[in-house]
Amino acid sequence: MPTAELHRCSWADGDDALMARYHDEEWGVPQRDGRMLWEMLVLEGFQAGLSWRTILHKREAFRQAFAGFVPEQVARFGDHEVERLVGNAEIIRSRAKIEATIAAAKIYCDMHERGEDFARFCWSFTDGKVIRGDGRSLPVSTPKSQEISQALKRRGFKFVGPVIVYAWMQAVGMVDDHAAGCFRRDGR
């Protein structure tokens, strides 16, 4: 399908082919893989105070730096790895966000060890269903993102405020917020 002829959400219009591909193939597609949901939650946390474009263009470097976002490996990172990551100019070098990622990996692993599936946990807030936005307005947070944020914080996750969580919900397809007229609206 030639992507140049498609009507997209305004944030994906323009000359950034990576942003267009992300919009066309990934953003808003319901993600049911727990590891990928965790990776996206971590990346949304790194985005805090920055643009998604910045994170997207660094995503492969993040994957390399964080052992492919394999939670079991990231959970074993110690002081040496933190220092290595803080010195890595290819990623966002926020010590607080790096340490939060390692802690999040430990939480993910603890949930798994207790028999809790991260994907099931995430989707339980919407009863496994996609929430459909109206295609005209884009809230920055909702009562549902506030509820999920609080649940994640109770478990010990950091950088999971309701605005970050709502952006994550959009990215992983828990919310369909594609604009009216976008070729991806309603799962197209």
Side-chain angles (χ1 to χ4, degrees):
M1 184 183 304
T3 57
E5 301 170 11
L6 300 174
H7 180 79
R8 296 182 176 87
C9 297
S10 61
W11 61 265
D13 278 342
D15 61 357
D16 189 329
L18 187 59
M19 285 288 280
R21 189 168 57 248
Y22 172 72
H23 171 273
D24 295 356
E25 299 173 5
E26 190 173 348
W27 191 78
V29 174
Q31 178 58 253
R32 307 284 178 167
D33 176 79
R35 197 221 49 84
M36 190 63 187
L37 287 164
W38 177 77
E39 175 181 333
M40 290 302 293
L41 185 62
V42 166
L43 289 173
E44 290 291 350
F46 271 101
Q47 180 194 349
L50 303 168
S51 74
W52 178 249
R53 180 180 182 182
T54 299
I55 302 303
L56 186 62
H57 281 270
K58 292 179 175 278
R59 182 159 62 168
E60 290 309 315
F62 272 108
R63 286 178 172 159
Q64 276 190 306
F66 284 96
F69 283 110
V70 175
E72 296 79 8
Q73 291 181 26
V74 177
R76 292 192 298 269
F77 282 15
D79 292 340
H80 175 75
E81 287 83 7
V82 170
E83 294 307 319
R84 173 183 59 83
L85 293 167
V86 167
N88 184 342
E90 299 298 312
I91 65 169
I92 306 304
R93 298 182 291 177
S94 163
R95 182 179 300 275
K97 292 176 182 180
I98 291 165
E99 290 174 346
T101 299
I102 297 166
K106 291 175 183 176
I107 296 164
Y108 179 99
C109 291
D110 288 345
M111 289 175 71
H112 180 74
E113 287 173 17
R114 289 192 313 269
E116 256 187 294
D117 180 75
F118 190 69
R120 195 171 300 121
F121 167 76
C122 294
W123 282 94
S124 71
F125 295 96
T126 66
D127 295 324
K129 297 179 179 107
V130 174
I131 299 167
R132 304 274 179 216
D134 64 14
R136 291 179 297 284
S137 62
L138 284 175
V140 295
S141 70
T142 63
K144 186 60 66 180
S145 73
Q146 292 171 3
E147 176 188 356
I148 296 170
S149 170
Q150 290 171 353
L152 289 166
K153 287 177 181 179
R154 278 193 299 272
R155 288 176 180 265
F157 286 92
K158 305 281 189 222
F159 295 98
V160 291
V163 173
I164 290 171
V165 168
Y166 193 73
W168 168 74
M169 292 170 71
Q170 292 171 307
V172 300
M174 292 175 79
V175 173
D176 179 355
D177 264 344
H178 283 282
C182 174
F183 86 97
R184 290 301 318 274
R185 180 98 184 129
D186 297 323
R188 291 180 278 192

